[in-house]
Amino acid sequence: MGKKLSEMSLEELWHLFPIVLTEHRDCWKNWYTEEKAFLEKTVPQAVGISHIGSTAVRSIWAKPIIDILLEVPRECDLSAVKDMLTENGYICMSQNADRLSFNKGYTENGFAEKVFHLHLRYVGDNDELYFRDYLIEYPDIAREYEKMKLMLWKKFEHDRDGYTAAKTEFVCKYTNEAKLKYGNRY
């Protein structure tokens, strides 16, 4: 019998769950919609549930992982929401005072058919919405982002932190441009 996920080192996890990019799939929207309905029932405190990340941008390649932003009011107890989520199939991967990240669809044998990353935040901590909307509105910028991701893919196939860090400057630049353009949209 193999190791449990909780017993694996970060390097072992990165090899079991490599970065994989694929063309956009129409099923991603449905997966998000189904998971959103599940989250609405599971976390009644939610004031916002949004599809974020590259799977929310129809024109570009993405990791086949549905990123979801779950926003709750400031007065909400994040540890209580954490308990609700972990009791319903999510694994807490990281947390600090204001942010928690969860995964669902990771197994000892690799990815399940449907995989989710859930970002639990207080309402208003939602820069990802600005970046997503900017990429949708500006297809040339989205293609530039896609090109960069495809170039980084094999270099960082087994290093998620390196992959994310290599994209950070681009993401910050266009998130800031989006916030200037859209103002207080969210």
Side-chain angles (χ1 to χ4, degrees):
M1 184 160 176
K3 286 184 179 180
K4 293 181 180 179
L5 295 178
S6 60
E7 299 169 342
M8 293 183 188
S9 69
L10 191 56
E11 291 75 22
E12 289 172 314
L13 290 169
W14 283 346
H15 280 290
L16 183 58
F17 305 108
I19 291 172
V20 175
L21 297 175
T22 184
E23 289 182 272
H24 184 85
R25 297 179 186 160
D26 290 336
C27 64
W28 293 340
K29 182 178 179 181
N30 295 333
W31 292 1
Y32 163 72
T33 301
E34 291 167 7
E35 197 65 13
K36 179 182 180 188
F38 169 78
L39 290 166
E40 287 171 337
K41 292 176 195 165
T42 305
V43 185
Q45 304 93 320
V47 294
I49 302 174
S50 304
H51 188 181
I52 58 172
S54 294
T55 59
V57 181
R58 295 187 55 84
S59 63
I60 63 174
W61 282 48
K63 295 187 306 288
I65 297 169
I66 308 304
D67 282 286
I68 299 173
L69 176 64
L70 174 63
E71 294 179 273
V72 296
R74 275 251 166 234
E75 60 275 5
C76 187
D77 178 6
L78 292 181
S79 63
V81 177
K82 176 185 175 183
D83 291 344
M84 289 176 204
L85 292 168
T86 57
E87 289 168 8
N88 285 282
Y90 278 93
I91 300 168
C92 186
M93 300 304 292
S94 67
Q95 69 181 78
N96 64 35
D98 298 340
R99 293 178 160 200
L100 286 85
S101 295
F102 299 85
N103 292 348
K104 184 176 180 184
Y106 286 67
T107 76
E108 283 80 6
N109 298 315
F111 292 116
E113 178 189 1
K114 296 177 184 177
V115 182
F116 302 93
H117 286 176
L118 180 69
H119 308 267
L120 175 60
R121 310 264 183 78
Y122 288 119
V123 69
D125 183 1
N126 53 23
D127 283 357
E128 294 87 350
L129 298 175
Y130 289 92
F131 185 66
R132 175 201 67 195
D133 289 357
Y134 201 82
L135 293 183
I136 291 169
E137 186 172 345
Y138 295 97
D140 290 346
I141 302 300
R143 281 190 292 282
E144 188 179 332
Y145 184 54
E146 175 189 59
K147 182 178 177 183
M148 178 184 58
K149 290 183 350 164
L150 290 169
M151 182 190 71
L152 296 170
W153 173 11
K154 292 302 177 181
K155 179 179 180 181
F156 293 105
E157 183 176 16
H158 299 287
D159 178 1
R160 284 182 182 268
D161 290 345
Y163 179 76
T164 300
K167 299 184 306 175
T168 298
E169 184 178 338
F170 184 97
V171 171
C172 287
K173 175 184 176 181
Y174 289 105
T175 298
N176 289 334
E177 286 191 24
K179 288 174 110 174
L180 287 172
K181 177 180 170 82
Y182 302 138
N184 291 328
R185 177 182 278 191
Y186 301 107

